[in-house]
Amino acid sequence: MNDEILFSPDIVDFIIRKDSYYEPYILEDPGLIYAHTIKDTFTICYAREADYQRMIGYMGTDFINSIPNILGLLQTESLEASGILEVQQQPYLNLYGRGVLIGFVDTGIDYTQEVFRYEDGTTKIRYIYDQSIPGNPPEGFPLGTEYTNEQINAALASETPYETVPHRDESGHGTFLASVASGRRVGNFTGAAPDSEIIMVKLKKAYPVYLNRFSVPPQQENAFETSFAMLGVEYIIKKSVELNRPVVICIGLGSNFDNHDGYGPLEEYLFSVSNIPGICVCVAVGNESQARHHYSQRFTQAGTPENIDIRVGENAGDVFVVVTNKICDRFSISVRSPTGELVGRIPSKAGYTFTTGLVLEQSQVSISYYFPVQGSGDQITLVKIMDATPGVWTITVYGDIIIDGSINAWLPITGFVSPTVEFLSSDPYNTITAPATGYGIIHCGAYNSSRDSLYPNSSWGPTRLSFENPDLVAPGYQVGGFYPTGFGYMAGASALLLQWSIVEGNDFGFCTPLIKAYLIRGCNRTDLIEYPSSQWGYGSLNLLQTFFYMREL
């Protein structure tokens, strides 16, 4: 198949669970262009939008579970504070990441930077998989272009490298993460695991149908789908197997476009691979605690309706709101505009969408009910206000059936909604972004190591299902690197543990949960905080102390 067809603006991708009852209907539909199976669990399907609308009929109410989530970049001294420098300098450990791969699913990498090159000028990057460039997909993958170590070296030896390898990182986010986690010594800078090697996946931008569905601002270039992230992780794991190397997978992406229960396809997939020995999955928890993008409340026994008030500024564009409730409850909602115009209470029916324009304002309102969502079985209600009038909008939630009574609502993460949009009554807890809401992985927050204080914007736990999150925090404020945002120390620390355990033959069973347990035990803690903490997790990263406790055990 010529992969250029998958770059057409009318293409839609969607995720179905393998062996679901309706799978044969979709796989045999003449409109299906391509299907790619991930870990024998999920199948990513591609079709033109018109054919996709027909295929929705096969899925019934499960249709909502097939829609990829939209991910955005998580914006964010030191190796000394995290205990990594001491581990590198400890004469008997001598750990620098030798023999370990670090894989990034992000915006790409500036492969010409000196920090990614050995002393002889050759690259430490083993592969780049650029999903945004059609023409030469990796074997077994549907789209994009693969660049090998040999091709990157040939480009570096040329006076015009981008003619040989036209891959670029326009954002700089992926380059920064890679430099912090794996960069070689340049001047006073060194990465956490400078002898590790890199696999970089540059994600393709989300298809237009999903940019429109989730009201992503037109100026937002870094909007990616969970389906493409799953392809990227699958590629990294495949290459680690081919090279027979342990790998750390670093994901600095997040989303508020779901119900935050940790059961999405990407979260489930990451949970499954995190238990494989030789693989460690590290995910940033986000920077949303002070963004005023989360609301929570619990209904009284009397069931009095609850108001969710949203302040909207001038020229805010579209506003997208996710409202969730637990499996035992059923809610319905109404919406009131700043001028008082009311979209009356819309009955809650699974798979139903109601859309109307307002009479006295230019805005349109859309209300969609979906239940049950996979995993938790909860209800999710999506409210879209198109061309929102400035002022205070009120979503009123009515309890049709109330047993638990708790409701949560989220606005999109920073950068995916106007900065003038916020909840009047917001809650900094439960601001962990997906996929860090999932199980099994290492959930990493950020702190200011120079002041030993929490990074103010680092997202707070717990999650909706109340498991402890984050696990711990690592330096994430004013971190030295080649770009000013991001996180990466946790990936580097995990790479050093994989070198000690697998490359050096001390324990071939090391996987994400075991690495997480050792890192948690070695954290710095203070008597002033009760652990686990919704902000600090089990403390701040101290890799040297982790090794001390491993020796005592």
Side-chain angles (χ1 to χ4, degrees):
M1 183 193 70
N2 183 349
D3 76 326
E4 289 192 6
I5 190 174
L6 298 184
F7 288 81
S8 301
D10 64 336
I11 294 295
V12 178
D13 64 331
F14 56 100
I15 306 168
I16 63 174
R17 190 174 293 275
K18 194 173 185 303
D19 297 328
S20 59
Y21 179 79
Y22 54 76
E23 181 188 39
Y25 295 96
I26 290 176
L27 296 184
E28 294 168 10
D29 191 288
L32 182 70
I33 295 174
Y34 189 86
H36 181 89
T37 300
I38 299 286
K39 277 284 179 292
D40 207 35
T41 303
F42 296 102
T43 301
I44 302 175
C45 303
Y46 300 82
R48 296 196 182 277
E49 188 172 357
D51 295 319
Y52 168 66
Q53 294 300 326
R54 181 181 64 254
M55 295 180 191
I56 288 175
Y58 302 139
M59 293 182 270
T61 56
D62 198 49
F63 145 71
I64 183 60
N65 299 318
S66 74
I67 299 173
N69 198 356
I70 295 292
L71 301 166
L73 303 180
L74 299 179
Q75 307 299 325
T76 69
E77 236 81 24
S78 57
L79 293 174
E80 291 95 336
S82 57
I84 292 174
L85 194 60
E86 291 92 333
V87 169
Q88 292 177 348
Q89 296 173 345
Q90 214 282 342
Y92 298 105
L93 288 174
N94 193 30
L95 299 176
Y96 293 90
R98 176 180 53 83
V100 178
L101 301 168
I102 304 184
F104 303 88
V105 180
D106 215 277
T107 62
I109 188 168
D110 182 355
Y111 65 87
T112 66
Q113 289 284 346
E114 186 181 356
V115 74
F116 303 126
R117 302 170 72 169
Y118 294 113
E119 287 76 6
D120 62 0
T122 59
T123 185
K124 65 178 295 178
I125 303 169
R126 294 305 300 253
Y127 291 97
I128 297 174
Y129 173 25
D130 193 327
Q131 297 178 349
S132 69
I133 300 177
N136 185 30
E139 183 179 356
F141 287 79
L143 80 174
T145 296
E146 178 184 59
Y147 299 105
T148 66
N149 180 266
E150 292 77 14
Q151 289 173 305
I152 299 168
N153 280 328
L156 292 174
S158 167
E159 293 184 359
T160 54
Y162 294 112
E163 292 183 6
T164 304
V165 175
H167 167 85
R168 294 178 184 266
D169 177 11
E170 292 87 357
S171 163
H173 191 271
T175 299
F176 175 81
L177 288 185
S179 68
V180 170
S182 183
R184 293 185 62 79
R185 181 173 293 279
V186 175
N188 293 325
F189 172 82
T190 185
D195 287 351
S196 62
E197 294 186 308
I198 294 170
I199 299 176
M200 176 60 72
V201 176
K202 179 178 179 177
L203 292 169
K204 178 187 177 301
K205 188 174 181 178
Y207 284 119
V209 65
Y210 294 125
L211 297 175
N212 178 66
R213 175 181 176 82
F214 291 101
S215 298
V216 176
Q219 67 273 17
Q220 178 54 261
E221 291 297 322
N222 297 305
F224 313 109
E225 296 178 27
T226 51
S227 52
F228 291 125
M230 291 167 72
L231 285 177
V233 174
E234 187 84 351
Y235 174 82
I236 292 169
I237 293 173
K238 180 180 179 181
K239 289 303 178 184
S240 73
V241 172
E242 291 177 2
L243 297 170
N244 194 28
R245 299 273 194 89
V247 63
V248 179
I249 299 169
C250 180
I251 300 177
L253 307 168
S255 175
N256 274 350
F257 286 120
D258 70 351
N259 65 334
H260 289 64
D261 65 359
Y263 284 117
L266 177 58
E267 292 92 324
E268 184 176 335
Y269 172 59
L270 293 178
F271 174 74
S272 68
V273 302
S274 68
N275 289 289
I276 300 173
I279 294 176
C280 182
V281 183
C282 301
V283 182
V285 299
N287 306 302
E288 290 291 302
S289 65
Q290 306 306 310
R292 302 186 66 88
H293 289 169
H294 174 238
Y295 168 93
S296 67
Q297 190 55 268
R298 183 178 292 272
F299 269 74
T300 64
Q301 286 298 319
T304 304
E306 295 288 344
N307 289 334
I308 304 174
D309 294 322
I310 305 170
R311 179 189 290 120
V312 176
E314 297 284 344
N315 302 314
D318 298 345
V319 177
F320 188 99
V321 188
V322 176
V323 184
T324 67
N325 56 270
K326 290 191 175 180
I327 185 173
C328 54
D329 298 336
R330 190 182 72 196
F331 292 157
S332 55
I333 69 170
S334 66
V335 178
R336 187 181 297 275
S337 77
T339 66
E341 189 165 349
L342 179 68
V343 178
R345 182 177 179 179
I346 305 300
S348 176
K349 188 172 82 172
Y352 177 64
T353 295
F354 175 84
T355 302
T356 185
L358 301 187
V359 175
L360 300 179
E361 302 168 57
Q362 297 297 315
S363 305
Q364 280 190 318
V365 175
S366 174
I367 300 168
S368 303
Y369 298 109
Y370 299 104
F371 53 89
V373 294
Q374 65 182 4
S376 65
D378 293 345
Q379 174 181 331
I380 184 170
T381 303
L382 306 181
V383 179
K384 290 176 63 176
I385 306 170
M386 284 76 79
D387 195 15
T389 306
V392 175
W393 288 78
T394 300
I395 299 172
T396 301
V397 183
Y398 303 87
D400 302 333
I401 301 172
I402 300 177
I403 298 174
D404 175 79
S406 61
I407 55 174
N408 284 271
W410 286 272
L411 293 163
I413 65 170
T414 302
F416 283 71
V417 66
S418 168
T420 66
V421 177
E422 63 183 22
F423 290 116
L424 287 183
S425 177
S426 64
D427 180 5
Y429 292 92
N430 203 347
T431 50
I432 305 288
T433 58
T437 50
Y439 293 86
I441 57 181
I442 296 177
H443 314 85
C444 181
Y447 82 109
N448 182 342
S449 58
S450 63
R451 296 185 177 182
D452 198 25
S453 61
L454 191 73
Y455 173 52
N457 295 326
S458 187
S459 290
W460 296 5
T463 65
R464 279 190 64 223
L465 300 186
S466 298
F467 74 91
E468 300 302 336
N469 196 344
D471 295 311
L472 67 165
V473 296
Y477 179 68
Q478 295 183 341
V479 174
F482 277 72
Y483 286 90
T485 60
F487 91 111
Y489 279 105
M490 188 58 60
S494 300
L496 301 188
L497 280 169
L498 282 177
Q499 179 189 345
W500 176 86
S501 59
I502 292 181
V503 176
E504 298 187 357
N506 289 297
D507 188 337
F508 290 141
F510 256 51
C511 58
T512 309
L514 190 57
I515 291 172
K516 175 163 55 173
Y518 282 130
L519 290 174
I520 284 174
R521 292 171 186 172
C523 280
N524 293 323
R525 283 179 274 272
T526 172
D527 293 337
L528 301 177
I529 298 175
E530 182 178 348
Y531 300 96
S533 158
S534 297
Q535 294 87 21
W536 289 83
Y538 286 92
S540 58
L541 175 67
N542 187 332
L543 188 59
L544 183 61
Q545 192 159 273
T546 288
F547 278 102
F548 283 156
Y549 286 151
M550 289 167 63
R551 178 178 63 180
E552 290 172 10
L553 291 171

